[in-house]
PDB file of all heavy atoms in Angstrom:
ATOM      1  N   TYR Z  18       0.822  -1.194  -0.013  1.00 98.00           N
ATOM      2  CA  TYR Z  18       0.022   0.064  -0.002  1.00 98.00           C
ATOM      3  C   TYR Z  18       0.829   1.210   0.032  1.00 98.00           C
ATOM      4  O   TYR Z  18       1.808   1.483   0.834  1.00 98.00           O
ATOM      5  CB  TYR Z  18      -0.913   0.007   1.241  1.00 98.00           C
ATOM      6  CG  TYR Z  18      -1.704   1.198   1.451  1.00 98.00           C
ATOM      7  CD1 TYR Z  18      -2.876   1.369   0.766  1.00 98.00           C
ATOM      8  CD2 TYR Z  18      -1.361   2.167   2.340  1.00 98.00           C
ATOM      9  CE1 TYR Z  18      -3.713   2.507   0.877  1.00 98.00           C
ATOM     10  CE2 TYR Z  18      -2.191   3.259   2.577  1.00 98.00           C
ATOM     11  CZ  TYR Z  18      -3.342   3.462   1.796  1.00 98.00           C
ATOM     12  OH  TYR Z  18      -4.048   4.490   1.977  1.00 98.00           O
ATOM     13  N   ILE Z  19       0.670   2.139  -0.972  1.00 98.00           N
ATOM     14  CA  ILE Z  19       1.421   3.367  -0.929  1.00 98.00           C
ATOM     15  C   ILE Z  19       0.526   4.445  -0.288  1.00 98.00           C
ATOM     16  O   ILE Z  19      -0.532   4.831  -0.759  1.00 98.00           O
ATOM     17  CB  ILE Z  19       1.706   3.838  -2.461  1.00 98.00           C
ATOM     18  CG1 ILE Z  19       2.398   2.671  -3.157  1.00 98.00           C
ATOM     19  CG2 ILE Z  19       2.625   5.059  -2.468  1.00 98.00           C
ATOM     20  CD1 ILE Z  19       3.583   2.076  -2.632  1.00 98.00           C
ATOM     21  N   SER Z  20       0.933   4.958   0.778  1.00 96.00           N
ATOM     22  CA  SER Z  20       0.158   5.808   1.673  1.00 96.00           C
ATOM     23  C   SER Z  20      -0.327   7.120   1.025  1.00 96.00           C
ATOM     24  O   SER Z  20      -1.360   7.552   1.291  1.00 96.00           O
ATOM     25  CB  SER Z  20       0.781   6.002   3.075  1.00 96.00           C
ATOM     26  OG  SER Z  20       1.923   6.879   2.964  1.00 96.00           O
ATOM     27  N   VAL Z  21       0.535   7.757   0.256  1.00 96.00           N
ATOM     28  CA  VAL Z  21       0.239   9.043  -0.349  1.00 96.00           C
ATOM     29  C   VAL Z  21      -0.812   8.918  -1.310  1.00 96.00           C
ATOM     30  O   VAL Z  21      -1.649   9.748  -1.490  1.00 96.00           O
ATOM     31  CB  VAL Z  21       1.602   9.672  -0.944  1.00 96.00           C
ATOM     32  CG1 VAL Z  21       1.210  10.958  -1.622  1.00 96.00           C
ATOM     33  CG2 VAL Z  21       2.548   9.962   0.227  1.00 96.00           C
ATOM     34  N   THR Z  22      -0.767   7.792  -2.127  1.00 95.00           N
ATOM     35  CA  THR Z  22      -1.668   7.721  -3.258  1.00 95.00           C
ATOM     36  C   THR Z  22      -2.840   6.842  -2.934  1.00 95.00           C
ATOM     37  O   THR Z  22      -3.906   6.906  -3.669  1.00 95.00           O
ATOM     38  CB  THR Z  22      -1.087   7.156  -4.567  1.00 95.00           C
ATOM     39  OG1 THR Z  22      -0.589   5.780  -4.257  1.00 95.00           O
ATOM     40  CG2 THR Z  22       0.135   8.003  -4.984  1.00 95.00           C
ATOM     41  N   GLY Z  23      -2.770   5.964  -1.920  1.00 95.00           N
ATOM     42  CA  GLY Z  23      -3.803   5.068  -1.589  1.00 95.00           C
ATOM     43  C   GLY Z  23      -3.865   3.770  -2.547  1.00 95.00           C
ATOM     44  O   GLY Z  23      -4.788   3.072  -2.493  1.00 95.00           O
ATOM     45  N   TYR Z  24      -2.816   3.682  -3.386  1.00 96.00           N
ATOM     46  CA  TYR Z  24      -2.766   2.539  -4.302  1.00 96.00           C
ATOM     47  C   TYR Z  24      -2.199   1.360  -3.648  1.00 96.00           C
ATOM     48  O   TYR Z  24      -1.209   1.426  -2.846  1.00 96.00           O
ATOM     49  CB  TYR Z  24      -1.812   2.964  -5.484  1.00 96.00           C
ATOM     50  CG  TYR Z  24      -1.680   1.965  -6.668  1.00 96.00           C
ATOM     51  CD1 TYR Z  24      -2.759   1.815  -7.530  1.00 96.00           C
ATOM     52  CD2 TYR Z  24      -0.577   1.213  -6.588  1.00 96.00           C
ATOM     53  CE1 TYR Z  24      -2.693   0.873  -8.550  1.00 96.00           C
ATOM     54  CE2 TYR Z  24      -0.396   0.297  -7.652  1.00 96.00           C
ATOM     55  CZ  TYR Z  24      -1.453  -0.004  -8.658  1.00 96.00           C
ATOM     56  OH  TYR Z  24      -1.392  -0.868  -9.518  1.00 96.00           O
ATOM     57  N   THR Z  25      -2.803   0.114  -3.965  1.00 97.00           N
ATOM     58  CA  THR Z  25      -2.212  -1.061  -3.526  1.00 97.00           C
ATOM     59  C   THR Z  25      -1.639  -1.838  -4.700  1.00 97.00           C
ATOM     60  O   THR Z  25      -2.242  -1.990  -5.713  1.00 97.00           O
ATOM     61  CB  THR Z  25      -3.363  -2.123  -2.870  1.00 97.00           C
ATOM     62  OG1 THR Z  25      -3.896  -1.235  -1.735  1.00 97.00           O
ATOM     63  CG2 THR Z  25      -2.802  -3.326  -2.454  1.00 97.00           C
ATOM     64  N   TYR Z  26      -0.386  -2.268  -4.614  1.00 97.00           N
ATOM     65  CA  TYR Z  26       0.343  -2.890  -5.641  1.00 97.00           C
ATOM     66  C   TYR Z  26       0.676  -4.343  -5.240  1.00 97.00           C
ATOM     67  O   TYR Z  26       1.102  -4.573  -4.185  1.00 97.00           O
ATOM     68  CB  TYR Z  26       1.627  -2.066  -5.823  1.00 97.00           C
ATOM     69  CG  TYR Z  26       2.629  -2.588  -6.790  1.00 97.00           C
ATOM     70  CD1 TYR Z  26       2.269  -2.944  -8.063  1.00 97.00           C
ATOM     71  CD2 TYR Z  26       3.949  -2.623  -6.489  1.00 97.00           C
ATOM     72  CE1 TYR Z  26       3.106  -3.452  -9.066  1.00 97.00           C
ATOM     73  CE2 TYR Z  26       4.919  -3.003  -7.451  1.00 97.00           C
ATOM     74  CZ  TYR Z  26       4.565  -3.417  -8.694  1.00 97.00           C
ATOM     75  OH  TYR Z  26       5.445  -3.790  -9.569  1.00 97.00           O
ATOM     76  N   ASN Z  27       0.508  -5.257  -6.220  1.00 95.00           N
ATOM     77  CA  ASN Z  27       0.961  -6.586  -6.085  1.00 95.00           C
ATOM     78  C   ASN Z  27       1.930  -6.997  -7.177  1.00 95.00           C
ATOM     79  O   ASN Z  27       1.483  -7.532  -8.222  1.00 95.00           O
ATOM     80  CB  ASN Z  27      -0.336  -7.528  -6.070  1.00 95.00           C
ATOM     81  CG  ASN Z  27      -1.219  -7.404  -4.892  1.00 95.00           C
ATOM     82  OD1 ASN Z  27      -0.761  -7.899  -3.835  1.00 95.00           O
ATOM     83  ND2 ASN Z  27      -2.328  -6.844  -5.076  1.00 95.00           N
ATOM     84  N   PRO Z  28       3.170  -6.713  -6.883  1.00 95.00           N
ATOM     85  CA  PRO Z  28       4.217  -6.914  -7.975  1.00 95.00           C
ATOM     86  C   PRO Z  28       4.240  -8.457  -8.465  1.00 95.00           C
ATOM     87  O   PRO Z  28       4.355  -9.310  -7.628  1.00 95.00           O
ATOM     88  CB  PRO Z  28       5.453  -6.586  -7.332  1.00 95.00           C
ATOM     89  CG  PRO Z  28       5.195  -6.584  -5.942  1.00 95.00           C
ATOM     90  CD  PRO Z  28       3.772  -6.338  -5.629  1.00 95.00           C
ATOM     91  N   GLY Z  29       4.196  -8.633  -9.746  1.00 91.00           N
ATOM     92  CA  GLY Z  29       4.385 -10.024 -10.314  1.00 91.00           C
ATOM     93  C   GLY Z  29       3.282 -10.851 -10.186  1.00 91.00           C
ATOM     94  O   GLY Z  29       3.280 -12.063 -10.536  1.00 91.00           O
ATOM     95  N   LYS Z  30       2.106 -10.334  -9.717  1.00 89.00           N
ATOM     96  CA  LYS Z  30       0.884 -11.208  -9.477  1.00 89.00           C
ATOM     97  C   LYS Z  30       0.503 -11.982 -10.744  1.00 89.00           C
ATOM     98  O   LYS Z  30      -0.005 -13.019 -10.628  1.00 89.00           O
ATOM     99  CB  LYS Z  30      -0.232 -10.361  -8.861  1.00 89.00           C
ATOM    100  CG  LYS Z  30      -1.388 -11.193  -8.352  1.00 89.00           C
ATOM    101  CD  LYS Z  30      -2.379 -10.343  -7.727  1.00 89.00           C
ATOM    102  CE  LYS Z  30      -3.624 -11.328  -7.229  1.00 89.00           C
ATOM    103  NZ  LYS Z  30      -4.510 -10.429  -6.525  1.00 89.00           N
ATOM    104  N   LEU Z  31       0.576 -11.207 -11.799  1.00 84.00           N
ATOM    105  CA  LEU Z  31       0.059 -11.827 -13.131  1.00 84.00           C
ATOM    106  C   LEU Z  31       1.062 -12.571 -13.832  1.00 84.00           C
ATOM    107  O   LEU Z  31       0.804 -13.281 -14.868  1.00 84.00           O
ATOM    108  CB  LEU Z  31      -0.598 -10.777 -13.916  1.00 84.00           C
ATOM    109  CG  LEU Z  31      -1.739  -9.957 -13.388  1.00 84.00           C
ATOM    110  CD1 LEU Z  31      -2.170  -8.827 -14.354  1.00 84.00           C
ATOM    111  CD2 LEU Z  31      -2.862 -10.915 -13.033  1.00 84.00           C
ATOM    112  N   SER Z  32       2.366 -12.488 -13.415  1.00 88.00           N
ATOM    113  CA  SER Z  32       3.450 -13.095 -14.159  1.00 88.00           C
ATOM    114  C   SER Z  32       4.177 -14.304 -13.333  1.00 88.00           C
ATOM    115  O   SER Z  32       3.721 -15.431 -13.421  1.00 88.00           O
ATOM    116  CB  SER Z  32       4.439 -12.179 -14.742  1.00 88.00           C
ATOM    117  OG  SER Z  32       4.907 -11.348 -13.707  1.00 88.00           O
ATOM    118  N   PHE Z  33       5.181 -13.838 -12.532  1.00 89.00           N
ATOM    119  CA  PHE Z  33       5.882 -14.974 -11.956  1.00 89.00           C
ATOM    120  C   PHE Z  33       5.377 -15.447 -10.565  1.00 89.00           C
ATOM    121  O   PHE Z  33       5.947 -16.264  -9.951  1.00 89.00           O
ATOM    122  CB  PHE Z  33       7.391 -14.455 -11.745  1.00 89.00           C
ATOM    123  CG  PHE Z  33       7.511 -13.114 -11.183  1.00 89.00           C
ATOM    124  CD1 PHE Z  33       7.509 -12.909  -9.747  1.00 89.00           C
ATOM    125  CD2 PHE Z  33       7.791 -12.039 -11.988  1.00 89.00           C
ATOM    126  CE1 PHE Z  33       7.598 -11.665  -9.237  1.00 89.00           C
ATOM    127  CE2 PHE Z  33       7.890 -10.692 -11.441  1.00 89.00           C
ATOM    128  CZ  PHE Z  33       7.817 -10.615 -10.100  1.00 89.00           C
ATOM    129  N   ARG Z  34       4.352 -14.840 -10.063  1.00 90.00           N
ATOM    130  CA  ARG Z  34       3.827 -15.141  -8.700  1.00 90.00           C
ATOM    131  C   ARG Z  34       3.438 -16.718  -8.684  1.00 90.00           C
ATOM    132  O   ARG Z  34       3.615 -17.264  -7.676  1.00 90.00           O
ATOM    133  CB  ARG Z  34       2.527 -14.279  -8.445  1.00 90.00           C
ATOM    134  CG  ARG Z  34       1.639 -14.780  -7.305  1.00 90.00           C
ATOM    135  CD  ARG Z  34       2.382 -14.805  -5.968  1.00 90.00           C
ATOM    136  NE  ARG Z  34       1.463 -15.369  -4.889  1.00 90.00           N
ATOM    137  CZ  ARG Z  34       1.663 -16.574  -4.393  1.00 90.00           C
ATOM    138  NH1 ARG Z  34       2.561 -17.373  -4.770  1.00 90.00           N
ATOM    139  NH2 ARG Z  34       0.941 -16.957  -3.402  1.00 90.00           N
ATOM    140  N   LYS Z  35       2.956 -17.149  -9.833  1.00 89.00           N
ATOM    141  CA  LYS Z  35       2.515 -18.641  -9.821  1.00 89.00           C
ATOM    142  C   LYS Z  35       3.615 -19.548  -9.668  1.00 89.00           C
ATOM    143  O   LYS Z  35       3.476 -20.658  -9.195  1.00 89.00           O
ATOM    144  CB  LYS Z  35       1.846 -18.841 -11.198  1.00 89.00           C
ATOM    145  CG  LYS Z  35       0.557 -18.036 -11.331  1.00 89.00           C
ATOM    146  CD  LYS Z  35       0.032 -18.242 -12.796  1.00 89.00           C
ATOM    147  CE  LYS Z  35      -0.923 -17.142 -13.079  1.00 89.00           C
ATOM    148  NZ  LYS Z  35      -0.564 -16.226 -14.077  1.00 89.00           N
ATOM    149  N   SER Z  36       4.942 -19.099  -9.791  1.00 90.00           N
ATOM    150  CA  SER Z  36       6.050 -19.964  -9.756  1.00 90.00           C
ATOM    151  C   SER Z  36       6.629 -19.931  -8.371  1.00 90.00           C
ATOM    152  O   SER Z  36       7.627 -20.539  -8.135  1.00 90.00           O
ATOM    153  CB  SER Z  36       7.163 -19.625 -10.797  1.00 90.00           C
ATOM    154  OG  SER Z  36       7.621 -18.273 -10.488  1.00 90.00           O
ATOM    155  N   MET Z  37       6.009 -19.219  -7.435  1.00 93.00           N
ATOM    156  CA  MET Z  37       6.652 -18.976  -6.079  1.00 93.00           C
ATOM    157  C   MET Z  37       5.693 -19.667  -5.045  1.00 93.00           C
ATOM    158  O   MET Z  37       4.420 -19.733  -5.186  1.00 93.00           O
ATOM    159  CB  MET Z  37       6.777 -17.554  -5.806  1.00 93.00           C
ATOM    160  CG  MET Z  37       7.604 -16.738  -6.720  1.00 93.00           C
ATOM    161  SD  MET Z  37       7.539 -14.908  -6.490  1.00 93.00           S
ATOM    162  CE  MET Z  37       8.702 -14.786  -5.210  1.00 93.00           C
ATOM    163  N   THR Z  38       6.289 -20.110  -3.978  1.00 93.00           N
ATOM    164  CA  THR Z  38       5.434 -20.430  -2.791  1.00 93.00           C
ATOM    165  C   THR Z  38       4.913 -19.302  -2.170  1.00 93.00           C
ATOM    166  O   THR Z  38       5.401 -18.177  -2.451  1.00 93.00           O
ATOM    167  CB  THR Z  38       6.265 -21.315  -1.773  1.00 93.00           C
ATOM    168  OG1 THR Z  38       7.211 -20.472  -1.200  1.00 93.00           O
ATOM    169  CG2 THR Z  38       7.067 -22.454  -2.376  1.00 93.00           C
ATOM    170  N   ALA Z  39       3.920 -19.457  -1.299  1.00 93.00           N
ATOM    171  CA  ALA Z  39       3.407 -18.386  -0.567  1.00 93.00           C
ATOM    172  C   ALA Z  39       4.362 -17.603   0.233  1.00 93.00           C
ATOM    173  O   ALA Z  39       4.480 -16.414   0.373  1.00 93.00           O
ATOM    174  CB  ALA Z  39       2.256 -18.833   0.364  1.00 93.00           C
ATOM    175  N   ASP Z  40       5.292 -18.351   1.002  1.00 95.00           N
ATOM    176  CA  ASP Z  40       6.355 -17.741   1.739  1.00 95.00           C
ATOM    177  C   ASP Z  40       7.424 -16.945   0.834  1.00 95.00           C
ATOM    178  O   ASP Z  40       7.839 -15.898   1.255  1.00 95.00           O
ATOM    179  CB  ASP Z  40       7.203 -18.751   2.568  1.00 95.00           C
ATOM    180  CG  ASP Z  40       6.375 -19.262   3.722  1.00 95.00           C
ATOM    181  OD1 ASP Z  40       5.417 -18.584   4.114  1.00 95.00           O
ATOM    182  OD2 ASP Z  40       6.725 -20.234   4.401  1.00 95.00           O
ATOM    183  N   GLN Z  41       7.730 -17.501  -0.349  1.00 95.00           N
ATOM    184  CA  GLN Z  41       8.564 -16.831  -1.268  1.00 95.00           C
ATOM    185  C   GLN Z  41       7.990 -15.583  -1.661  1.00 95.00           C
ATOM    186  O   GLN Z  41       8.666 -14.435  -1.742  1.00 95.00           O
ATOM    187  CB  GLN Z  41       8.940 -17.734  -2.446  1.00 95.00           C
ATOM    188  CG  GLN Z  41       9.909 -18.899  -2.200  1.00 95.00           C
ATOM    189  CD  GLN Z  41       9.965 -19.778  -3.332  1.00 95.00           C
ATOM    190  OE1 GLN Z  41       8.992 -20.045  -4.108  1.00 95.00           O
ATOM    191  NE2 GLN Z  41      11.178 -20.400  -3.373  1.00 95.00           N
ATOM    192  N   TYR Z  42       6.695 -15.580  -1.998  1.00 96.00           N
ATOM    193  CA  TYR Z  42       6.041 -14.305  -2.436  1.00 96.00           C
ATOM    194  C   TYR Z  42       5.947 -13.313  -1.380  1.00 96.00           C
ATOM    195  O   TYR Z  42       6.210 -12.115  -1.627  1.00 96.00           O
ATOM    196  CB  TYR Z  42       4.725 -14.669  -3.033  1.00 96.00           C
ATOM    197  CG  TYR Z  42       4.068 -13.439  -3.752  1.00 96.00           C
ATOM    198  CD1 TYR Z  42       4.671 -12.922  -4.827  1.00 96.00           C
ATOM    199  CD2 TYR Z  42       2.902 -12.847  -3.332  1.00 96.00           C
ATOM    200  CE1 TYR Z  42       4.072 -11.674  -5.449  1.00 96.00           C
ATOM    201  CE2 TYR Z  42       2.347 -11.787  -3.914  1.00 96.00           C
ATOM    202  CZ  TYR Z  42       3.000 -11.179  -4.993  1.00 96.00           C
ATOM    203  OH  TYR Z  42       2.383 -10.079  -5.648  1.00 96.00           O
ATOM    204  N   ARG Z  43       5.644 -13.754  -0.188  1.00 97.00           N
ATOM    205  CA  ARG Z  43       5.638 -12.903   0.921  1.00 97.00           C
ATOM    206  C   ARG Z  43       7.004 -12.146   1.164  1.00 97.00           C
ATOM    207  O   ARG Z  43       6.998 -11.031   1.394  1.00 97.00           O
ATOM    208  CB  ARG Z  43       5.244 -13.754   2.295  1.00 97.00           C
ATOM    209  CG  ARG Z  43       4.714 -12.903   3.440  1.00 97.00           C
ATOM    210  CD  ARG Z  43       3.973 -13.748   4.368  1.00 97.00           C
ATOM    211  NE  ARG Z  43       4.731 -15.030   4.754  1.00 97.00           N
ATOM    212  CZ  ARG Z  43       5.415 -15.304   5.746  1.00 97.00           C
ATOM    213  NH1 ARG Z  43       5.663 -14.332   6.648  1.00 97.00           N
ATOM    214  NH2 ARG Z  43       5.880 -16.477   5.914  1.00 97.00           N
ATOM    215  N   ASP Z  44       8.094 -12.988   1.130  1.00 97.00           N
ATOM    216  CA  ASP Z  44       9.537 -12.504   1.157  1.00 97.00           C
ATOM    217  C   ASP Z  44       9.700 -11.435   0.085  1.00 97.00           C
ATOM    218  O   ASP Z  44      10.297 -10.350   0.353  1.00 97.00           O
ATOM    219  CB  ASP Z  44      10.438 -13.681   1.117  1.00 97.00           C
ATOM    220  CG  ASP Z  44      11.833 -13.212   1.577  1.00 97.00           C
ATOM    221  OD1 ASP Z  44      12.022 -12.676   2.695  1.00 97.00           O
ATOM    222  OD2 ASP Z  44      12.724 -13.399   0.693  1.00 97.00           O
ATOM    223  N   PHE Z  45       9.236 -11.785  -1.150  1.00 97.00           N
ATOM    224  CA  PHE Z  45       9.379 -10.879  -2.313  1.00 97.00           C
ATOM    225  C   PHE Z  45       8.691  -9.547  -2.051  1.00 97.00           C
ATOM    226  O   PHE Z  45       9.161  -8.474  -2.408  1.00 97.00           O
ATOM    227  CB  PHE Z  45       9.030 -11.595  -3.561  1.00 97.00           C
ATOM    228  CG  PHE Z  45       9.135 -10.618  -4.831  1.00 97.00           C
ATOM    229  CD1 PHE Z  45      10.426 -10.272  -5.287  1.00 97.00           C
ATOM    230  CD2 PHE Z  45       8.061 -10.218  -5.418  1.00 97.00           C
ATOM    231  CE1 PHE Z  45      10.540  -9.426  -6.314  1.00 97.00           C
ATOM    232  CE2 PHE Z  45       8.063  -9.374  -6.537  1.00 97.00           C
ATOM    233  CZ  PHE Z  45       9.329  -8.991  -7.024  1.00 97.00           C
ATOM    234  N   LEU Z  46       7.522  -9.587  -1.523  1.00 97.00           N
ATOM    235  CA  LEU Z  46       6.754  -8.432  -1.264  1.00 97.00           C
ATOM    236  C   LEU Z  46       7.432  -7.566  -0.243  1.00 97.00           C
ATOM    237  O   LEU Z  46       7.462  -6.289  -0.430  1.00 97.00           O
ATOM    238  CB  LEU Z  46       5.294  -8.789  -0.704  1.00 97.00           C
ATOM    239  CG  LEU Z  46       4.382  -9.265  -1.833  1.00 97.00           C
ATOM    240  CD1 LEU Z  46       3.093  -9.782  -1.130  1.00 97.00           C
ATOM    241  CD2 LEU Z  46       4.037  -8.221  -2.838  1.00 97.00           C
ATOM    242  N   ILE Z  47       8.024  -7.987   0.782  1.00 98.00           N
ATOM    243  CA  ILE Z  47       8.777  -7.254   1.707  1.00 98.00           C
ATOM    244  C   ILE Z  47      10.029  -6.661   1.022  1.00 98.00           C
ATOM    245  O   ILE Z  47      10.298  -5.451   1.213  1.00 98.00           O
ATOM    246  CB  ILE Z  47       9.241  -8.104   2.896  1.00 98.00           C
ATOM    247  CG1 ILE Z  47       7.984  -8.648   3.689  1.00 98.00           C
ATOM    248  CG2 ILE Z  47      10.156  -7.328   3.778  1.00 98.00           C
ATOM    249  CD1 ILE Z  47       8.351  -9.709   4.728  1.00 98.00           C
ATOM    250  N   TYR Z  48      10.696  -7.486   0.223  1.00 97.00           N
ATOM    251  CA  TYR Z  48      11.814  -6.935  -0.608  1.00 97.00           C
ATOM    252  C   TYR Z  48      11.460  -5.785  -1.457  1.00 97.00           C
ATOM    253  O   TYR Z  48      12.049  -4.751  -1.519  1.00 97.00           O
ATOM    254  CB  TYR Z  48      12.422  -7.997  -1.473  1.00 97.00           C
ATOM    255  CG  TYR Z  48      13.465  -7.695  -2.395  1.00 97.00           C
ATOM    256  CD1 TYR Z  48      14.731  -7.452  -2.009  1.00 97.00           C
ATOM    257  CD2 TYR Z  48      13.093  -7.416  -3.777  1.00 97.00           C
ATOM    258  CE1 TYR Z  48      15.735  -7.128  -2.901  1.00 97.00           C
ATOM    259  CE2 TYR Z  48      14.125  -7.000  -4.714  1.00 97.00           C
ATOM    260  CZ  TYR Z  48      15.418  -6.914  -4.255  1.00 97.00           C
ATOM    261  OH  TYR Z  48      16.312  -6.579  -5.188  1.00 97.00           O
ATOM    262  N   MET Z  49      10.243  -5.888  -2.082  1.00 98.00           N
ATOM    263  CA  MET Z  49       9.795  -4.852  -2.995  1.00 98.00           C
ATOM    264  C   MET Z  49       9.470  -3.591  -2.204  1.00 98.00           C
ATOM    265  O   MET Z  49       9.685  -2.470  -2.748  1.00 98.00           O
ATOM    266  CB  MET Z  49       8.696  -5.304  -3.886  1.00 98.00           C
ATOM    267  CG  MET Z  49       9.080  -6.178  -5.097  1.00 98.00           C
ATOM    268  SD  MET Z  49      10.295  -5.501  -6.162  1.00 98.00           S
ATOM    269  CE  MET Z  49       9.286  -4.075  -6.723  1.00 98.00           C
ATOM    270  N   ALA Z  50       8.843  -3.707  -1.093  1.00 98.00           N
ATOM    271  CA  ALA Z  50       8.450  -2.593  -0.212  1.00 98.00           C
ATOM    272  C   ALA Z  50       9.810  -1.776   0.061  1.00 98.00           C
ATOM    273  O   ALA Z  50       9.801  -0.558  -0.036  1.00 98.00           O
ATOM    274  CB  ALA Z  50       7.666  -3.043   0.988  1.00 98.00           C
ATOM    275  N   ASP Z  51      10.827  -2.565   0.368  1.00 97.00           N
ATOM    276  CA  ASP Z  51      12.062  -1.883   0.681  1.00 97.00           C
ATOM    277  C   ASP Z  51      12.686  -1.167  -0.565  1.00 97.00           C
ATOM    278  O   ASP Z  51      13.224   0.035  -0.481  1.00 97.00           O
ATOM    279  CB  ASP Z  51      13.073  -2.937   1.223  1.00 97.00           C
ATOM    280  CG  ASP Z  51      14.321  -2.284   1.798  1.00 97.00           C
ATOM    281  OD1 ASP Z  51      14.308  -1.279   2.424  1.00 97.00           O
ATOM    282  OD2 ASP Z  51      15.431  -2.767   1.482  1.00 97.00           O
TER     283      ASP Z  51
END
């Protein structure tokens, strides 16, 4: 969630998300936030 715009982003959800476990994607989301 980007607080200034109110936009919620799910990176890779439509492409490589399917190739990751739930924990891997959770880790990737934290990485992307950073």
Side-chain angles (χ1 to χ4, degrees):
Y18 175 79
I19 309 302
S20 71
V21 173
T22 63
Y24 181 78
T25 300
Y26 177 45
N27 287 290
K30 187 175 183 177
L31 300 177
S32 54
F33 50 81
R34 164 62 183 106
K35 297 174 194 106
S36 67
M37 303 171 82
T38 67
D40 284 345
Q41 287 170 326
Y42 188 62
R43 198 163 44 96
D44 192 57
F45 178 66
L46 286 173
I47 297 169
Y48 172 82
M49 283 304 297
D51 190 44

